[in-house]
Amino acid sequence: MRHVRAIAVFGIAVVALTGARGSHGGSCGGSSSSGSSSSNHNSDSDSTSGGTSGGSLPGGSSSADKAIRDVTIDECKYDPATKNLVARITVKNDGALDYDYSVTMKFKGDASGTAIPATATKTAIAVAAGASASAELTTSYPGSGDGSEYTKCEVSRASRS
């Protein structure tokens, strides 16, 4: 009985110490021709929602924690032709099972606070085991300017089933 308890405690300690990894923030470009992004797919950062601030996930073993680590932001921009905020992502499924992913993206502004918070959600992103899939998340531009007040986007929620 002592051995079983010791093994269980050791297993919990290992999970707690390793935690979850992944950073998923990107910046929004102010033009339709290009946008810059930054993300660290499978990096050693403990951030779950991207950007420059970090936070750790306790345990790091839930499906949502794993799903958010599978998402990489490729581009984040304002599209003046459609008047939409657009995020292009890649979802990489390193698992042994096929999954359908749901991703919610938050478009954020600069420190001046002029950007109205905006979100976009995409569901049923089918990704086969060991494969990747690209997707585009869009939402209407809530402002009246040129979109330059949106400086980054980040994955606020992700799940897989």
Side-chain angles (χ1 to χ4, degrees):
M1 186 68 167
R2 286 183 181 156
H3 290 36
V4 172
R5 190 177 309 145
I7 291 171
V9 169
F10 176 77
I12 291 170
V14 168
V15 170
L17 290 174
T18 58
R21 295 183 291 205
S23 175
H24 304 285
S27 63
C28 290
S31 69
S32 64
S33 62
S34 70
S36 62
S37 66
S38 65
S39 64
N40 299 321
H41 187 69
N42 292 331
S43 72
D44 288 332
S45 170
D46 288 333
S47 175
T48 61
S49 60
T52 56
S53 63
S56 63
L57 291 171
S61 61
S62 78
S63 179
D65 297 342
K66 292 176 184 175
I68 206 165
R69 290 182 288 167
D70 293 347
V71 179
T72 302
I73 298 169
D74 300 318
E75 184 178 31
C76 182
K77 68 177 185 174
Y78 169 70
D79 184 355
T82 61
K83 298 197 184 321
N84 286 331
L85 296 171
V86 180
R88 288 184 178 84
I89 62 169
T90 300
V91 181
K92 184 176 181 185
N93 179 2
D94 289 330
L97 302 173
D98 296 350
Y99 287 109
D100 284 337
Y101 286 80
S102 294
V103 178
T104 300
M105 185 72 60
K106 183 185 288 187
F107 295 87
K108 299 177 86 176
D110 54 18
S112 68
T114 59
I116 299 167
T119 59
T121 300
K122 180 89 170 183
T123 59
I125 305 168
V127 186
S132 296
S134 296
E136 186 173 278
L137 288 79
T138 61
T139 189
S140 296
Y141 172 59
S144 60
D146 63 359
S148 62
E149 69 272 25
Y150 289 92
T151 57
K152 69 178 183 173
C153 58
E154 64 186 32
V155 175
S156 62
R157 202 171 317 145
S159 64
R160 65 185 188 187
S161 56

